[in-house]
Amino acid sequence: MNTTEARTVGENRTTRERRRAREFEAFAAGAGGRLLHAATLLTGEPPGTAPAAEELLVAVLGRTYADWDRLHGEDPYEHARRELAARFAHSAWRYRRPRGGLLGRLPPRERLVLVLRHCEGVPEEQVAAGLGLPMERVRALCARAGATLRSRPPAARPASSRRAAEGAA
């Protein structure tokens, strides 16, 4: 390969990398808020003060960017949502302690099923397949989560998050 061909190949690679970065930035700008909302619900943290959710989202977006060229027409949001669910499920033990969020009083698996089914609108069959659970188990987890949310009033927010919320107002 001569220097002219090498320069052309390098320029093509640079052009592709720029296009890839622009496409991903547009995706992240459009889907980041919705993914952060889902991550916040999953981690059980209050909105606005959700460092674990933000950390989870950064890891998911990093993986999605790494996989960007391999998506081949696949919906990038669907890919990111699956990655979010998988990462949360893999590290759910970190989120067992209630953190004062809307779904914080639910166990992690119930939170995951509820968020996927009702907040993200993922069909029951896909949730079951994605989590490796029978559909009956997904239904039971979803029903139990709903019953828990209906039966118990939300726990009082910890004093530290109350102070943070009051300081922001």
Side-chain angles (χ1 to χ4, degrees):
M1 181 183 307
N2 64 34
T3 51
T4 305
E5 290 172 339
R7 194 174 325 133
T8 303
V9 169
E11 289 171 0
N12 287 340
R13 182 178 305 134
T14 303
T15 302
R16 280 193 312 269
E17 289 171 359
R18 283 186 192 143
R19 187 190 73 228
R20 175 181 187 231
R22 279 193 313 271
E23 288 173 355
F24 180 78
E25 285 172 11
F27 162 73
R34 187 170 167 197
L35 288 167
L36 179 60
H37 178 70
T40 301
L41 290 172
L42 289 173
T43 59
E45 296 173 300
T49 56
E54 290 172 3
E55 184 180 317
L56 186 61
L57 178 62
V58 167
V60 166
L61 289 176
R63 179 57 188 245
T64 303
Y65 184 72
D67 293 344
W68 195 257
D69 290 334
R70 292 185 296 263
L71 293 180
H72 301 296
E74 179 185 347
D75 179 10
Y77 185 82
E78 179 70 28
H79 179 80
R81 183 175 56 212
R82 276 196 315 270
E83 182 67 23
L84 180 67
R87 282 186 183 265
F88 177 79
H90 182 70
S91 61
W93 59 270
R94 295 179 185 171
Y95 309 107
R96 290 184 187 271
R97 193 185 60 202
R99 298 170 182 239
L102 182 63
L103 303 179
R105 58 199 163 131
L106 297 175
R109 185 174 274 178
E110 289 180 17
R111 255 185 273 151
L112 179 58
V113 169
L114 196 68
V115 168
L116 290 174
R117 285 284 297 124
H118 295 291
C119 298
E120 290 294 314
V122 178
E124 203 169 73
E125 299 81 20
Q126 287 182 7
V127 173
L131 299 177
L133 298 171
M135 279 189 9
E136 295 77 28
R137 180 74 176 133
V138 169
R139 278 188 208 116
L141 287 167
C142 203
R144 187 180 322 143
T148 299
L149 291 175
R150 285 187 299 273
S151 68
R152 286 191 246 152
R157 287 194 318 199
S160 61
S161 66
R162 255 195 321 271
R163 281 193 298 272
E166 290 167 0

